[in-house]
Amino acid sequence: MSNPLLSVENLETSFHTSSGNVRAVRGVSFDLESGEVAGIVGESGSGKSVTSMSLMRLIAEPPGKVSATKLEFDGRDILRLSPAELRDVRGGGMSMIFQDPFSSLNPTMTLGNQVIEAILAHGNISKSEAKKKALQLFEDVRIPLPEIRMKQYPHQISGGQRQRVMIAMAFSTNPKLLIADEPTTALDVTVQAQIMSLMKDFQAKTGAAILLITHDLGVVAEMCDRVFVMYAGQIVEQGSVEQIFNTAQHPYTVGLLMSLPQLSETRHKRLQSIPGQPPDLAHLPTGCPFADRCEHAQDLCRQVEPGETDMGSGQKLRCHFPIELSV
Ligand code: ADP
Ligand code: MG
């Protein structure tokens, strides 16, 4: 097989704070192939955003500190790029969409001009061509009355329309990888579904890889080929969508699945969320970070932190006592 598009090995990101060293990402390793759609799931605070921002080198250092034994995107060593090269990667190869499109858009500039600027900044084309391309993109993301919308400002359109503009901008540079950090969390359910299907269409059309961060396993089931389950800064389980939904073996993954209405109805009759809280990342316990909340935990779990075990066929997990999902 050719080299993966993105290769991450032992990514560690921490923050120096007054209450200690917050270890937000701890030894995260994964590969992403061209055109692959992978989801990162996990409760709030598990390190999903910090992971994605570390990949884009968007963590301010200090107070942050990012290291990895390997961080390669499209054959380039992301940790060793100059600021200019990084800008180039962000503008071309890797794009990012955030949860709140309002904060990512310039309030004083028309939507059309923002997209045109993004195109001009990263492509060698004339202003009139860029304008044509922007209009096409507004049509592609199905913004009604695109000519009129292009002349409007961010506050004049709805949150769903703003997220469409962000998607247009993200795809304007033909990225090889799109990182979307909870892109629809702020939107209502119907609009969420529309935005997701739009991303899926773009993905199919352009062949871009997507790293989709979400706390919604339903979205993952619909969109993704592969899943990374994060807990307390680690990927505690990873596998194909089929593996995660049918044969998850980490108690945390199973707990997440049981809090998904559809699955819990058929399998366990009622909705359960995982009791307890994740650990303080500045004062991590010895052993498995999930042990305190885990029904299956034994003495070993409180003494020794589990390393990553390869279960074969791409399924990997960090657990001393893997379980099987009873169907
Ligand atoms: P998620 O996206 O999974 O909800 P995050 O990646 O945003 O979680 O955060 C992971 C952990 O890192 C959290 O405990 C958060 O408080 C901490 N964190 C994130 N950014 C900073 C920062 N700038 N300074 C200190 N701690 C931070
Ligand atoms: Mg987040």
Side-chain angles (χ1 to χ4, degrees):
M1 206 190 288
S2 58
N3 282 338
L5 178 66
L6 176 70
S7 194
V8 184
E9 254 176 45
N10 295 313
L11 178 66
E12 301 266 342
T13 305
S14 56
F15 298 97
H16 241 304
T17 73
S18 52
S19 51
N21 197 34
V22 176
R23 298 187 59 200
V25 177
R26 304 186 295 131
V28 161
S29 303
F30 67 89
D31 283 347
L32 205 60
E33 304 294 334
S34 292
E36 194 173 27
V37 182
I40 305 186
V41 296
E43 290 166 300
S44 173
S46 54
K48 305 183 296 296
S49 295
V50 173
T51 297
S52 60
M53 287 171 72
S54 304
L55 302 179
M56 292 281 280
R57 294 290 309 277
L58 290 172
I59 300 284
E61 298 179 69
K65 188 175 181 314
V66 181
S67 71
T69 49
K70 185 174 177 186
L71 188 50
E72 233 173 65
F73 171 72
D74 203 16
R76 301 169 94 168
D77 181 351
I78 293 293
L79 288 177
R80 275 172 198 82
L81 294 183
S82 69
E85 289 170 319
L86 264 180
R87 262 198 306 280
D88 191 43
V89 167
R90 288 194 202 118
M94 239 196 260
S95 280
M96 192 154 178
I97 305 176
F98 296 95
Q99 179 178 332
D100 175 14
F102 219 5
S103 63
S104 323
L105 288 166
N106 181 342
T108 66
M109 201 183 204
T110 65
L111 298 161
N113 279 341
Q114 297 192 47
V115 176
I116 290 167
E117 284 226 330
I119 297 169
L120 285 173
H122 304 289
N124 197 10
I125 63 174
S126 71
K127 183 136 194 211
S128 70
E129 279 175 304
K131 208 169 163 179
K132 251 187 12 218
K133 189 169 175 192
L135 182 60
Q136 181 62 50
L137 278 164
F138 271 64
E139 283 168 12
D140 290 346
V141 295
R142 299 197 268 292
I143 292 178
L145 309 170
E147 271 120 343
I148 295 172
R149 291 301 188 204
M150 279 180 69
K151 296 196 185 84
Q152 292 184 316
Y153 292 87
H155 71 270
Q156 293 176 294
I157 62 172
S158 70
Q161 299 296 340
R162 279 197 288 270
Q163 201 54 294
R164 285 173 195 267
V165 174
M166 289 309 298
I167 291 174
M169 289 232 267
F171 278 103
S172 68
T173 54
N174 305 317
K176 290 184 176 165
L177 171 63
L178 175 71
I179 300 177
D181 190 352
E182 311 225 15
T184 60
T185 304
L187 306 172
D188 75 51
V189 180
T190 335
V191 182
Q192 275 186 23
Q194 290 166 1
I195 299 287
M196 281 300 159
S197 99
L198 191 61
M199 278 185 31
K200 214 171 170 164
D201 290 354
F202 262 92
Q203 196 279 328
K205 206 166 77 181
T206 63
I210 296 183
L211 193 58
L212 176 65
I213 295 160
T214 174
H215 55 254
D216 187 339
L217 275 166
V219 166
V220 167
E222 245 165 71
M223 296 276 298
C224 299
D225 307 314
R226 224 143 46 93
V227 190
F228 309 124
V229 181
M230 282 197 79
Y231 184 76
Q234 297 178 322
I235 293 180
V236 294
E237 183 158 19
Q238 62 172 292
S240 68
V241 164
E242 291 74 22
Q243 287 166 338
I244 295 299
F245 280 85
N246 299 327
T247 58
Q249 295 181 68
H250 197 292
Y252 178 66
T253 311
V254 175
L256 283 183
L257 287 168
M258 287 203 287
S259 57
L260 194 67
Q262 236 177 339
L263 285 180
S264 68
E265 267 162 38
T266 52
R267 290 205 172 107
H268 301 279
K269 298 272 187 301
R270 70 196 169 87
L271 198 63
Q272 284 178 273
S273 64
I274 307 166
Q277 297 290 323
D280 176 354
L281 296 174
H283 305 94
L284 283 158
T286 328
C288 173
F290 188 60
D292 262 4
R293 303 172 72 185
C294 183
E295 288 176 12
H296 307 271
Q298 303 185 26
D299 288 346
L300 176 66
C301 306
R302 296 187 187 87
Q303 289 155 7
V304 180
E305 188 165 58
E308 193 171 60
T309 315
D310 195 336
M311 311 301 281
S313 341
Q315 189 167 3
K316 295 180 183 171
L317 72 155
R318 290 178 183 271
C319 179
H320 291 304
F321 303 102
I323 54 163
E324 292 203 15
L325 197 63
S326 54
V327 182

